[in-house]
Amino acid sequence: MTMTLPRVLPLLLLLLLSSLLPTRGGESYAAISCRKHSASLVDFGGVGDGKTSNTEAFRRAVANLSGYAGDGGAQLVVPAGKWLTGSFNLTSHFTLYLEKDATLLASQDESEWPHLAILPSYGRGRDAPGGRYSSLIFGTNLTDVVITGNNGTINGQGAYWWDKFKKDELNLTRPYLIEIMFSDRVQISNLTLLDSPSWFIHPVYSSNILVQGLTILAPIDSPNTDGVDPDSCTNVRIEDCYIVSGDDCIAIKSGWDEYGIKFGMPTRHVIIRRLTCISPDSATIALGSEMSGGIQDVRAEDIMAINTQSGVRIKTAPGRGAYVKDIFAKGMTMKTMKYVFWMTGAYNSHPDPGYDPKALPVIQGINYRDIMASNVTYSARLEGIKGDPFTGICISNVHIELSEERKKLQWNCTDIAGATHNVTPVACHLLPEKEPAIDCPFPTDRLPIEDVQLKTCSVPYNYVR
Ligand SMILES: *[C@@H]1O[C@H](CO)[C@@H](O)[C@H](O)[C@H]1NC(C)=O
Ligand SMILES: *[C@@H]1O[C@H](CO)[C@@H](O)[C@H](O)[C@H]1NC(C)=O
Ligand SMILES: *[C@@H]1O[C@H](CO)[C@@H](O)[C@H](O)[C@H]1NC(C)=O
Ligand SMILES: *[C@@H]1O[C@H](CO)[C@@H](O)[C@H](O)[C@H]1NC(C)=O
Ligand SMILES: *[C@@H]1O[C@H](CO)[C@@H](O)[C@H](O)[C@H]1NC(C)=O
Ligand SMILES: *[C@@H]1O[C@H](CO)[C@@H](O)[C@H](O)[C@H]1NC(C)=O
Ligand SMILES: *[C@@H]1O[C@H](CO)[C@@H](O)[C@H](O)[C@H]1NC(C)=O
Ligand SMILES: *[C@@H]1O[C@H](CO)[C@@H](O)[C@H](O)[C@H]1NC(C)=O
């Protein structure tokens, strides 16, 4: 006995110490702002069993933590577990942090989805004329809000809503997964987002938006599951995202016909880079079709599209008004595409018969360069509007390999004007080869959103389970 005690003692001490001290530090992450205060969803009654509703826990947490907005802000940590929840709102100077094995599961109980008024720049809901369901995670009139994690998951469980949409059983427009409205300084990063009821991320009437490191996955036949839709927003940076969608991977918008024209809020200064997109029935990056507040200065680079319907696609129609101008894309690799280039001037979906058919959109200054595409059916379908041609189209250094199903008319051009250089197969006569050689422009200045520096923030160890 007396001989063994000294040998056991250090072990006992070690066990005692390890139960008192953290065995590992907290987790760190990069964000636009770090927070002084931290709390766990569990502190507010959250239960991560996948069955208990956490809607009230989230609402209590946000109500409580909004009290720290003036004192360094707060972060709400969602630990590992399955957290069923309905819609809840965010607050300012706030971070929602999802642990690696944390999954938010969107409730399929409609009473957990409050209703919101229609968007003023749309004049009606996209699915139904009336109002709309609040998104799963919603915020309005906020400053400095972060939704991030160590690749935690938000699962919209959208099948319930897709089914109602297909059966035409919706009285209100489907919820989005995340919508941030009238806000400034927003970061959404390092998460996996699954099966949104409709669009995944909808920043609207907002500025300084950073979207980074997202994996976004929806079945390729799910309705309207767009990845990221900046809508009437300024200064947007979307990078390092992998998106598989039933609709456009990115869609840049700014309101619909007479409602969008009246609201008059453009989307400007957008950079999209290092994006991988899979979307057999839609575009890698769409501009429109709702563009009635105008779209200007969009820069896309290092884009990969696989088994996708088109690359950068412009969608508009008489009635939209406004403009799409100063669009730049370079460095795109595409495999198995229906169209490499697609512009549509007859995207005739209108909110109501009250639109003005004389409100013609101006499409001008569209620049594409350094594109390699293989297994392509049509090189280009470029359809402007009669009496309102799309002008200033520049396409250079493009190599397209055609598929066995290639169509005879490779460049189908109507009501457009511009030039090309070093493009195969050779373009239509409306886009003549330019001599001397041109290289289509890409801006060399930096957008303010590119200079946003991230801080290293941490989640205290006692919240990491
Ligand atoms: C927020 O929670 C903390 C810790 O439970 C509590 O001390 C504080 O009173 C709560 N504040 C509000 C506004 O509920
Ligand atoms: C969320 O915000 C909306 C819009 O401001 C508001 O109508 C709703 O009551 C808020 N919900 C909660 C739970 O605070
Ligand atoms: C949010 O901001 C918009 C635009 O500034 C304003 O019209 C609206 O009243 C604000 N809403 C709230 C709830 O403060
Ligand atoms: C995040 O999780 C998704 C889904 O499991 C995975 O495909 C992706 O590679 C992960 N991303 C990172 C950066 O670990
Ligand atoms: C939609 O509205 C109609 C008429 O107001 C009503 O009869 C129907 O029950 C509603 N459907 C749903 C799913 O709420
Ligand atoms: C978050 O994603 C970025 C890529 O956008 C990556 O560089 C970084 O390591 C990720 N951070 C974490 C904590 O996963
Ligand atoms: C080429 O595209 C066709 C569809 O147009 C597809 O069926 C086929 O698998 C693709 N081939 C390769 C090598 O990717
Ligand atoms: C060319 O494009 C026009 C307008 O988009 C379309 O109506 C027509 O069918 C196309 N022609 C061919 C041969 O693809």
Side-chain angles (χ1 to χ4, degrees), residues 39 43-44 60-61 63-68:
D43 302 342
F44 299 93
R60 273 196 298 272
N64 179 300
L65 299 175
S66 67
Y68 298 110

Side-chain angles (χ1 to χ4, degrees), residues 159-454:
Y160 169 87
W161 301 95
W162 306 333
D163 190 51
K164 289 199 100 173
F165 172 78
K166 285 176 188 158
K167 291 183 179 152
D168 199 15
E169 282 175 7
L170 289 163
N171 284 0
L172 298 175
T173 290
R174 282 168 289 164
Y176 303 130
L177 199 68
I178 300 174
E179 182 174 68
I180 307 289
M181 206 158 93
F182 296 118
S183 297
D184 183 41
R185 293 204 284 137
V186 177
Q187 174 184 341
I188 304 170
S189 61
N190 296 72
L191 296 167
T192 295
L193 309 180
L194 305 176
D195 295 350
S196 176
S198 177
W199 303 346
F200 276 86
I201 300 183
H202 186 221
V204 58
Y205 320 136
S206 294
S207 52
N208 299 309
I209 315 291
L210 184 55
V211 173
Q212 275 185 327
L214 300 182
T215 302
I216 297 180
L217 306 173
I220 54 174
D221 59 353
S222 53
N224 310 106
T225 48
D226 299 18
V228 187
D229 288 11
D231 195 347
S232 296
C233 286
T234 303
N235 283 320
V236 181
R237 172 172 143 203
I238 301 168
E239 60 194 9
D240 301 302
C241 291
Y242 177 89
I243 304 177
V244 182
S245 169
D247 209 317
D248 302 322
C249 287
I250 310 274
I252 296 174
K253 299 177 183 284
S254 64
W256 207 6
D257 286 2
E258 68 271 30
Y259 304 101
I261 293 171
K262 186 166 173 218
F263 199 76
M265 194 167 179
T267 290
R268 281 194 296 226
H269 311 309
V270 178
I271 183 151
I272 302 162
R273 55 196 179 193
R274 300 185 301 271
L275 165 73
T276 299
C277 169
I278 298 177
S279 176
D281 293 318
S282 290
T284 311
I285 299 171
L287 306 168
S289 80
E290 306 90 331
M291 39 62 68
S292 302
I295 296 175
Q296 184 172 23
D297 189 13
V298 176
R299 310 170 180 194
E301 60 181 313
D302 297 335
I303 309 294
M304 165 83 86
I306 303 161
N307 190 18
T308 292
Q309 191 183 37
S310 63
V312 178
R313 181 176 180 198
I314 296 174
K315 302 192 260 191
T316 188
R320 292 286 194 274
Y323 52 84
V324 174
K325 58 188 181 190
D326 307 330
I327 307 301
F328 308 92
K330 72 166 184 189
M332 299 182 71
T333 306
M334 305 182 183
K335 292 175 186 161
T336 304
M337 306 291 293
K338 185 165 181 194
Y339 302 99
V340 173
F341 303 105
W342 197 7
M343 299 180 189
T344 307
Y347 204 90
N348 292 314
S349 72
H350 300 286
D352 56 43
Y355 72 94
D356 174 8
K358 292 198 207 73
L360 298 177
V362 173
I363 312 300
Q364 195 171 52
I366 313 296
N367 303 279
Y368 301 131
R369 78 172 202 220
D370 307 335
I371 298 174
M372 296 283 284
S374 60
N375 202 23
V376 167
T377 310
Y378 298 89
S379 295
R381 177 168 172 184
L382 305 174
E383 179 195 1
I385 295 171
K386 212 174 169 67
D388 175 33
F390 298 176
T391 61
I393 298 170
C394 181
I395 304 180
S396 68
N397 193 24
V398 173
H399 185 73
I400 299 169
E401 282 170 23
L402 301 174
S403 72
E404 280 167 22
E405 290 95 60
R406 72 188 63 177
K407 296 299 179 216
K408 210 168 151 200
L409 182 58
Q410 274 300 314
W411 286 77
N412 183 356
C413 307
T414 46
D415 303 298
I416 59 148
T420 50
H421 172 66
N422 189 23
V423 170
T424 53
V426 117
C428 54
H429 74 277
L430 296 176
L431 297 176
E433 170 82 20
K434 215 40 177 200
E435 289 298 344
I438 47 159
D439 217 1
C440 301
F442 192 91
T444 51
D445 63 321
R446 285 170 73 85
L447 293 175
I449 190 72
E450 292 182 81
D451 287 325
V452 168
Q453 298 296 317
L454 299 184

